[in-house]
């Protein structure tokens, strides 16, 4: 190790959050965004995962990482611990499901509640760990048996602190709401009940928050008349029923988004609203907010207006049905819906116009295979199937994008504060990595110092037929930042919009509800006042630090002082950070459940061989996604053969020093499923080498051969980018999800949170 006196920055004291590791050591994620500080196992004995601490950097370890010593525990994590209750030698303890906690929790005899050995429980700490003592807790809740259907979801919602029960005040207020639109609700609204608006969603959708209608239109008169389309996007008027500061509003803000799991949805609003009064169900009156647009033949929105209305959905279509009708206007599906075929053709016409505008803007347009997990009644995966996006998905997405852009423009023009959906271009660090990678490919194309979305799209189009197209597109995607909600508009890089927001899904996204309220306030020539909002948590704080850091950097580039924000601006900033952080939380919980289900599924396939493709290369191995099952696992670097492999960061590949064997994104391999770790949500593969004998393979299946050797601890694995389970059509914008609730507004995957080193893997 280096001498302390030789290292600048040593003996500094910094604050941050402890990130435990399943192997006993940990890291401190620094508040200032600097590199993590390594904590050896002896330093982890008195702290737990997610504790806030002050550490002193005392040395650099052999790998050059700063190593710290805990000086002070500033705040204990309030997060409950979920685990299995065990009894060993008469002592009760709980083994945490999340192995990053690193220690079992002792349970005194009188604190086991009604729990039985082996059950999954929620533990509340009563005594924190110490250098020479384990943490002590009491059982707060009994979730049930580990094999109970849906247990993985029950664990995830508590593990990520997802609110899953509405308050009594919220439930009571929801009961007072009517079951249908009342006469006084229609006052000062445009009557659109005679306009044949329709909804188009997935087969399993239960709430419908958008309806559409289109007809040919002409703007102007005489020789200056321009032909185009009149497009109506009607969105459920949730704001009419959910008043600012009400009990329903407080619960909705706390959730900030609906959370989607296989076979279960945790809604943002009570079911009476989400599936009933606010849902644009067929053949009933519903209140809505309408974006009424004129779209030119070349796809430009040349005029728009917003107004409250009352509507009547004339049909509930599915994506599959609409695609079939557009594909054959004389087919059986079209015959059943003959009264609506003309309207659907008009929608397809405006879609074709909007696509022209998208291409002209140079919006980034990546595509990967979308998948769905199909479970039986007991929650067991029957299969993981690809789900293709058809023309109907695209028709709705373009309509929703147009309405969202008009909403952002309306708010920006009014000078009223609100939340924009901002997606910035690559950071200087990511831009440099991408430039070096593109140079190493010999492509002859790169991005400039101030890249535009069109540059990314040009590279994507130019390489779509190359053998390494998947690798190149993955690297383009990785360079993107995550989209966030913020009152400071700096445009949407991926979609190539100067201003963009979310207007189209107030049933399932709180930012959309706020946008509706702002639009109504502007129409009424008043000002919307945010309610007093609860203090956000750790995720909010991390996002705030990131934004502050990037804001200072931007101001430095422009040689300006960072702008000061007044109290109202700070309130909107806090709301945006809260919604962004909770969107990440929902994504992490969904990914956790999906990973658990896939691990459970793959335990039934141990020892089997599959073909796959490398989806990420790291210094510790390669991640491979199986062709037929769309499941991802790690081939550790020790399983790649008897030579030394060096990670080439520029080319994003592992290369063997002796043979020159290369493993990069897109490389085809054959693997064997060797190990599944349910607790760690990890799957290990071993490479099946060409010419490997059947006898040696069988020996491995029986636990002999290489797998009998002591396996060295593997580094914590960050989930790779470029996953098959996400649509990358619109960088950063979840539309309606295609499983559970469908997913509209644009399935533009935010750069997955999984793309960071620390975060496990959509939401978009």
């Amino acid at each position: 190790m280096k001498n302390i006196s030789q290292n600048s920055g040593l003996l500094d004291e910094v604050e941050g959050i402890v990130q435990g590791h399943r192997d006993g050591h940990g890291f401190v994620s620094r508040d200032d965004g600097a590199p993590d500080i390594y904590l050896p196992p002896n330093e982890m004995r008195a702290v737990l995962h997610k504790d806030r601490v002050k550490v002193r950097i005392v040395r650099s370890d052999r790998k050059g990482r700063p190593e710290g010593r805990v000086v002070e525990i500033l705040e204990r994590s309030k997060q409950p611990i979920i685990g299995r209750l065990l009894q060993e030698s008469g002592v009760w303890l709980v083994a945490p499901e999340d192995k990053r906690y690193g220690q079992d929790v002792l349970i005194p005899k009188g604190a086991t509640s009604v729990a039985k050995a082996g059950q999954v429980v929620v533990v509340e700490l009563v005594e924190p760990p110490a250098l020479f003592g384990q943490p002590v807790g009491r059982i707060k809740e009994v979730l049930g048996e580990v094999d109970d259907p849906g247990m993985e979801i029950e664990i995830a919602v508590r593990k990520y602190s997802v609110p899953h029960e509405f308050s009594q005040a919220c439930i009571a207020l929801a009961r007072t709401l009517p079951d249908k639109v009342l006469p006084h609700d229609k006052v000062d609204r445009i009557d659109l009940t005679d306009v044949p608006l329709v909804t188009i969603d997935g087969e399993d959708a239960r709430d419908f928050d958008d309806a559409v209608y289109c007809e040919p239109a002409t703007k102007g008169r005489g020789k200056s008349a321009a032909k185009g389309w009149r497009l109506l996007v009607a969105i459920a008027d949730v704001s009419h029923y959910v008043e600012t500061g009400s009990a329903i509003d407080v619960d909705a803000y706390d959730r900030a988004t609906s959370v989607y799991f296989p076979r279960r949805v945790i809604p943002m609003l009570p079911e009476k609203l989400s599936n009933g009064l606010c849902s644009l169900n067929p053949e009933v009156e519903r209140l809505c907010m309408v974006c009424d647009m004129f779209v030119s033949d070349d796809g430009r929105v040349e005029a728009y207006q917003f107004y409250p209305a009352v509507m009547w959905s004339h049909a509930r279509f599915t994506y599959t049905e609409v695609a079939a009708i557009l594909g054959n206007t004389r087919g059986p599906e079209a015959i059943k819906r003959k009264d609506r075929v003309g309207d659907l053709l008009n929608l397809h016409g405006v879609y074709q116009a909007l696509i022209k505008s998208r291409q002209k803007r140079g919006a980034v347009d990546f595509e990967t295979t979308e998948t769905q997990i199909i479970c039986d009644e007991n929650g067991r995966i029957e299969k993981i199937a690809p789900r293709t996006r058809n023309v109907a998905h695209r028709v709705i997405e373009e309509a929703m994008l147009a309405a969202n852009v008009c909403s952002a423009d309306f708010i920006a023009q009014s000078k009223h504060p609100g939340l924009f959906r901002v997606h910035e271009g690559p950071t200087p660090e990511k831009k440099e990595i991408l430039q070096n990678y593109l140079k190493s490919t010999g492509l002859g194309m790169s991005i400039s110092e101030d890249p535009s979305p069109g540059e990314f799209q040009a590279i994507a189009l130019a390489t779509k037929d190359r053998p390494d197209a998947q690798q190149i597109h993955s690297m383009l995607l990785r360079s993107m930042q995550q989209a966030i909600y913020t009152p400071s508009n700096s445009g949407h890089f991926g979609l190539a919009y100067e201003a963009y927001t979310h207007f189209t899904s107030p049933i399932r996204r709180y930012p959309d509800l706020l946008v509706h309220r702002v639009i109504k306030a502007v129409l009424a020539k008043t000002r919307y006042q945010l309610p007093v909002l609860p203090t956000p948590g750790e995720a909010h704080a991390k996002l705030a630090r990131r934004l502050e850091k990037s804001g200072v950097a931007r101001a430095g580039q422009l040689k300006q002082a960072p702008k000061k924000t007044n109290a109202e601006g700070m309130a909107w900033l806090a709301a945006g950070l809260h919604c962004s952080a909770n969107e990440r939380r929902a994504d992490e919980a969904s990914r956790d459940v999906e990973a658990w289900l896939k691990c459970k599924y793959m335990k039934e396939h141990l020892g089997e061989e599959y073909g796959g493709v490398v989806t990420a290369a790291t210094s510790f191995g390669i991640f491979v996604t199986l062709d037929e099952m769309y499941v991802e696992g790690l081939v550790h670097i020790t399983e790649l053969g008897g030579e030394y492999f060096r990670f080439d960061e520029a080319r994003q590949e592992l290369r063997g020093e002796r043979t020159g064997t290369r493993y990069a994104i897109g490389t085809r391999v054959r693997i064997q499923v060797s190990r599944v770790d349910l607790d760690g949500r990890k799957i290990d593969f071993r490479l099946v080498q060409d010419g490997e004998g059947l006898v040696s393979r069988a020996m491995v299946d029986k636990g002999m051969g290489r797998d009998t050797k002591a396996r060295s601890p593997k580094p914590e694995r960050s989930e790779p980018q470029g996953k098959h389970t996400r649509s990358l059509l619109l960088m950063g914008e979840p539309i309606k999800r295609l499983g559970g609730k469908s997913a509209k507004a644009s399935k533009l995957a935010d750069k997955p949170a999984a793309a960071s080193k620390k975060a496990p893997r959509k939401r978009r």
Side-chain angles (χ1 to χ4, degrees), residues 448-643:
S448 64
E449 288 304 310
D450 185 18
S452 68
E455 294 176 40
F456 282 74
Q457 184 63 8
I459 295 171
L461 290 173
T463 58
K464 64 178 182 177
D465 296 323
R466 283 174 54 124
D468 58 353
Q470 183 181 352
Q471 180 176 3
I472 294 170
H473 293 185
S474 177
M475 288 300 296
L476 291 172
L477 174 63
R478 279 191 218 187
S479 69
M480 304 281 186
Q481 297 189 59
Q482 287 180 312
I484 60 168
Y485 297 106
T486 173
S488 177
N489 175 41
S490 53
H492 197 293
F493 182 84
L495 290 170
Y497 287 133
E498 292 183 3
Y500 186 73
T501 193
H502 278 167
F503 164 78
T504 53
S505 298
I507 289 177
R508 63 187 182 87
R509 289 190 308 226
Y510 196 81
D512 302 53
L513 177 56
L514 290 176
V515 166
H516 278 231
R517 289 171 175 168
V518 170
I519 289 174
K520 281 188 173 182
V522 174
L523 291 174
K525 295 181 171 54
T526 60
R527 195 169 184 86
Y528 177 68
Q529 187 70 40
L530 276 172
V532 176
L533 302 172
T535 302
E538 175 203 335
H540 164 286
K542 288 175 70 174
L543 270 171
R545 291 192 294 271
R546 174 191 137 192
L547 287 181
E548 182 181 11
K549 187 177 178 182
S550 63
V552 171
R554 252 197 324 269
Q557 290 172 357
L558 298 173
K559 297 182 179 179
Q560 297 174 347
K563 292 182 179 179
K564 292 184 178 180
T565 308
N566 59 22
E568 184 182 37
M570 290 297 292
W572 279 100
L573 179 62
L577 288 167
H578 172 79
C579 293
S580 300
N582 284 11
E583 179 185 34
R584 307 285 183 270
R585 177 181 68 183
D587 287 345
E588 289 174 359
S590 297
R591 283 196 298 269
D592 188 81
V593 168
E594 183 179 304
W596 190 92
L597 287 170
K598 287 184 176 181
C599 286
K600 185 81 171 175
Y601 182 54
M602 293 308 293
K603 280 185 80 74
E604 301 172 8
H605 299 277
L606 282 168
E608 296 181 14
E609 292 182 12
Y610 300 95
V613 64
V614 176
T615 45
T618 71
S619 60
F620 53 85
I622 55 174
F623 286 93
V624 176
T625 297
L626 306 185
D627 293 334
E628 299 171 1
M629 305 171 82
Y630 303 96
V631 170
E632 187 180 66
L634 173 72
V635 179
H636 194 258
I637 197 166
T638 57
E639 302 283 356
L640 292 179
E643 66 175 311

Side-chain angles (χ1 to χ4, degrees), residues 644-763:
Y644 182 78
F645 280 83
R646 186 180 297 277
F647 179 59
D648 186 332
E649 186 174 9
R651 294 178 180 271
Q652 290 292 300
E653 68 181 20
L654 282 174
R655 182 191 292 264
E657 287 196 341
R658 179 171 53 84
T659 63
T661 302
R662 298 165 54 191
Y663 295 102
I665 299 171
T667 301
R668 297 208 57 79
V669 294
R670 188 154 188 84
I671 61 88
Q672 183 184 54
V673 183
S674 62
R675 180 174 173 267
V676 175
D677 178 4
L678 264 176
D679 291 336
R681 312 290 197 265
K682 295 170 184 175
I683 302 168
D684 286 342
F685 299 149
R686 61 176 290 270
L687 209 58
V688 177
Q689 306 287 354
D690 291 338
E692 182 179 347
L694 293 176
V695 175
S696 63
R697 214 174 292 166
M699 290 172 67
V700 172
D701 292 346
K702 293 174 183 279
M704 302 172 67
R706 288 165 61 188
D707 282 346
T708 62
K709 298 177 183 178
R711 296 170 65 96
S712 59
K714 296 179 184 177
E716 184 74 359
R717 308 186 298 184
S718 62
E719 192 130 347
Q721 293 108 4
K723 294 198 61 164
H724 284 281
T725 50
R726 277 198 180 262
S727 165
L728 309 182
L729 173 64
L730 303 170
M731 287 317 317
E733 304 313 322
I735 304 192
K736 284 191 172 176
R737 305 215 178 205
L738 304 182
K741 164 78 169 102
S742 48
K744 280 183 183 159
S746 188
K747 198 88 178 146
L748 218 199
D750 285 345
K751 184 181 172 239
S756 83
K757 289 192 292 184
K758 303 170 198 164
R761 179 201 177 241
K762 198 10 160 150
R763 184 222 202 330

